[in-house]
Amino acid sequence: MNINLNNYEEYLLNYVDGELEAEDEKELLQFMGKYPELEKELQLLQATKLPDDKMVFPYKQQLYRSKTPGKKKVIVLNKIWLGAAVAASVALLIIAYFSINRSYKPSTEFVFNHKITKQGMDTFKISMPLPVQPTAPKEQKHLAITDHSGKKTEHKRAIPKKTEIKQQDTSTILYAQTNVERENNEKIIPIAPVRKLFKKDTITMLKEADLAKRAQHEVEKNVPVPVILKGSTKGNKKTRSQSSFSYTKEDIDSIITDKIVAFQHTVSHPLEALKGKKIKIGSFSFVFKK
Amino acid sequence: MTEKEYNQCVDLYADRLYRFIVKNLKHEENARDVVQNSFEILWKQHDELLFEKARFYLFTVGYRNMIDFLRKEKRISLMDEFNEDAKVNINEEQGLKSILQQALNRLNDIQKSLIMLKDYEGYSYEEISEITGLNASQVKVYLHRARLKLKSYLVKMENVI
């Protein structure tokens, strides 16, 4: 027996920390039996143990990762990214296209490719469904519009031959197109916050599963999670850069509510450089929120 | 560790790591950065790491990162002292939990971290030693002193109330 009135405190502390060997613990309890006045001391020490205090990390969605092609990593809009993006985007405007139906089902991921001539946007080709507009603005005739009832072969034709879309991307496009849900002649409207276009641009929308996770998170935590699109661009050496941008669900809802008649929308953008800017492509124009 | 296991780590440990960091840094943005950095590093290393070691790895990386933050702010205190000047603001309605929280805030940064690693995470002296880079004897001594200070504060508050 090594425990005595001179060293019992260390035993008590080890006991409270759960670090006593079984044998020592037995000895301590026997010792305590002889000196019941020490019970209060033990109780006080035990009271210093922190009770469980659950906290929630509110940005967990940004931590999930995936190596699976097509499941793109969600870009974290943190300070580092913003700084880099702002620096890289002095002359850069950003473009994204995604189609959406009125029930806001983020039903697909799609990757697409488009081309542009030196003269501007008039040979802009998109391998994704575009609205069938009876009174389509003049500029739209330049777009490679794929009818919503189109079959795969038609979609394939819509993909520029000389693009560098990988086979995997191409199939993704076809998958996306064949899974777009529509009712009657309901139009699907591309939304295009824009920058100057470059060849080989690639825009990726989050997959349905990821969007569903984010939506779930919104509901559970009551935290608005922006829908994030990732866009990567490959221009010439001088203009090559990568950036991303986001829409909130509210943005999308408001667009849906307005039925996109005027082709002018207000969207959020994290880049200070873009705030307040109005950008046009063809008949679509976008105003970034200040 | 597979990709799935990594994502499991997010589910299992992100909240816990955040609690540990934010309670030490008392700055949500910085705590968020530390947590994100820690998971970023975990992701980079996930192929080499075992899932069973992930929590330990996360806390080690997170702790070191947090200490860097504290050092940058030049407010880390390695001195073994109790902040007697901290304002006492206790009323009868406050429970033991809030009194304990006040007492915890009076410990120096290292002691506070050790107490949290022990009580919240249940790490052994040896494990805490590996996480913090202190040796096991130091961990034990610092923890015991911290515990006694918390006890003294509780006694003091008990008498006040």
Side-chain angles (χ1 to χ4, degrees), chain B residues 90-96 98-99 161:
Chain B
I90 299 288
N91 59 50
E92 289 184 26
E93 284 74 37
Q94 285 180 305
L96 174 66
S98 62
I99 294 173
I161 294 169

Side-chain angles (χ1 to χ4, degrees), chain B residues 128-142:
Chain B
I128 294 173
S129 144
E130 287 179 46
I131 290 172
T132 58
L134 300 168
N135 67 47
S137 307
Q138 281 176 308
V139 168
K140 183 176 168 179
V141 170
Y142 289 169

